[in-house]
Amino acid sequence: MYEGDVLASNWRRPGKGKIPKVPAEPDLVVEDADSGFCGAVVACDKEAVTLEDRFGKRRLFPLAPAAFLLEGKPVTLVRPTAPAPSGPRRSASGSITVEGLRARVARESRIYVEGVHDAALVEKIWGHDLRVEGVVVEYLEGVDHLPAIVAEFSPEPGRRLGVLVDHLVPGSKESRIAAGITSPDVLVVGHPFVDIWQAVKPSALRIPAWPEVPRGVPWKEGVIAALGWRVEPADAWRRILGAVTTYTDLEPELLGRVEQLIDFVTETP
């Protein structure tokens, strides 16, 4: 039982400093003040926290100010602070961090990915490595534009083009377009996933698996509905990207391809 009525005053707009901030550590039990859903913390990123109730049901809640009750009293949940690393610092890709890095002048070679989500994920995990090597990542806005981009880029030794393609599987449209690129200074590789979202391990998002989406249903919208997230695709992507912190959160099929592209465009002729 709570002491008094927590709704008796304007508790959601308290004076400065009256609502404590509490790290959303795993297994912390709190209640969502609006819905009454009570559960233990099982995951937390910079924007949202996932709670699991005693029946195993999970729900995602935004980290809004004074949005939760802890032992009957309002609190603001915040993302826990990561412990200080020991030994040599490593980047998100697992490489040793170059301290005091000043990004080198960009190479003429480039890496292209399909869209803005792909670019954001590559930057989050390999951004440090790319700045060390002076490699710029751009995006195609769809694989259909690849032949025109290659023709305009005019690849040659020392001016290479690496391309990462979604859903590069036998018989797909992507595979047919990739097969038409024959320049030795262009490397087109890909992963088998329908969308870059699937390259994030389900475990990073605390879900059992990526849902199967029926034919005829837009893939992103189908995934969101199956997961019960009740958000727009842009918000869903922010949650997915927020759950990724290191290369261990990504599937090997993506990791190997990106490393392959970086090696290709930085190789000395």
Side-chain angles (χ1 to χ4, degrees):
M1 296 294 291
Y2 299 144
E3 297 178 3
D5 183 359
V6 297
L7 300 180
S9 61
N10 197 11
W11 63 277
R12 295 301 293 273
R13 291 184 175 83
K16 184 178 180 181
K18 290 186 177 181
I19 299 296
K21 294 183 178 180
V22 177
E25 301 284 358
D27 298 326
L28 177 72
V29 177
V30 294
E31 178 183 341
D32 175 59
D34 287 335
S35 67
F37 185 91
C38 184
V41 174
V42 294
C44 184
D45 59 34
K46 65 181 180 180
E47 295 184 349
V49 63
T50 302
L51 302 182
E52 180 179 289
D53 69 12
R54 61 193 180 93
F55 302 107
K57 182 179 179 181
R58 294 187 176 188
R59 287 185 58 182
L60 192 70
F61 298 96
L63 292 176
F68 301 91
L69 300 176
L70 176 60
E71 297 180 352
K73 298 179 181 179
V75 296
T76 296
L77 291 188
V78 296
R79 190 177 186 180
T81 303
S86 59
R89 291 185 58 202
R90 292 189 175 270
S91 70
S93 70
S95 63
I96 295 177
T97 301
V98 178
E99 302 294 344
L101 170 68
R102 295 183 64 183
R104 65 176 284 176
V105 175
R107 297 173 184 264
E108 288 191 73
S109 298
R110 291 285 186 274
I111 290 177
Y112 269 79
V113 297
E114 281 212 47
V116 65
H117 290 182
D118 309 68
L121 187 59
V122 169
E123 164 61 26
K124 185 162 188 179
I125 300 302
W126 289 276
H128 178 80
D129 309 62
L130 294 170
R131 283 184 283 279
V132 169
E133 298 292 350
V135 177
V136 174
V137 175
E138 302 185 34
Y139 53 93
L140 302 170
E141 296 185 343
V143 71
D144 295 316
H145 300 292
L146 179 56
I149 287 175
V150 171
E152 182 180 357
F153 188 81
S154 300
E156 59 185 32
R159 180 180 166 81
R160 286 179 152 186
L161 185 61
V163 183
L164 179 69
V165 177
D166 296 345
H167 200 227
L168 192 62
V169 295
S172 66
K173 175 187 72 172
E174 291 81 0
S175 66
R176 292 192 294 271
I177 293 174
I181 307 299
T182 58
S183 169
D185 296 304
V186 179
L187 175 63
V188 181
V189 299
H191 54 73
F193 309 114
V194 175
D195 190 275
I196 197 68
W197 289 18
Q198 282 185 307
V200 177
K201 290 180 178 178
S203 58
L205 293 161
R206 306 282 182 164
I207 59 176
W210 285 102
E212 294 290 334
V213 178
R215 284 183 173 273
V217 177
W219 191 82
K220 289 185 174 69
E221 286 78 0
V223 165
I224 292 169
L227 293 176
W229 281 1
R230 300 180 185 178
V231 295
E232 294 298 319
D235 296 319
W237 170 244
R238 280 193 286 272
R239 291 181 182 177
I240 295 167
L241 187 62
V244 176
T245 56
T246 74
Y247 70 97
T248 60
D249 294 322
L250 302 181
E251 299 287 359
E253 294 90 337
L254 176 66
L255 295 173
R257 302 294 76 76
V258 176
E259 297 286 352
Q260 186 180 2
L261 290 177
I262 294 175
D263 289 345
F264 178 77
V265 300
T266 58
E267 186 177 61
T268 303

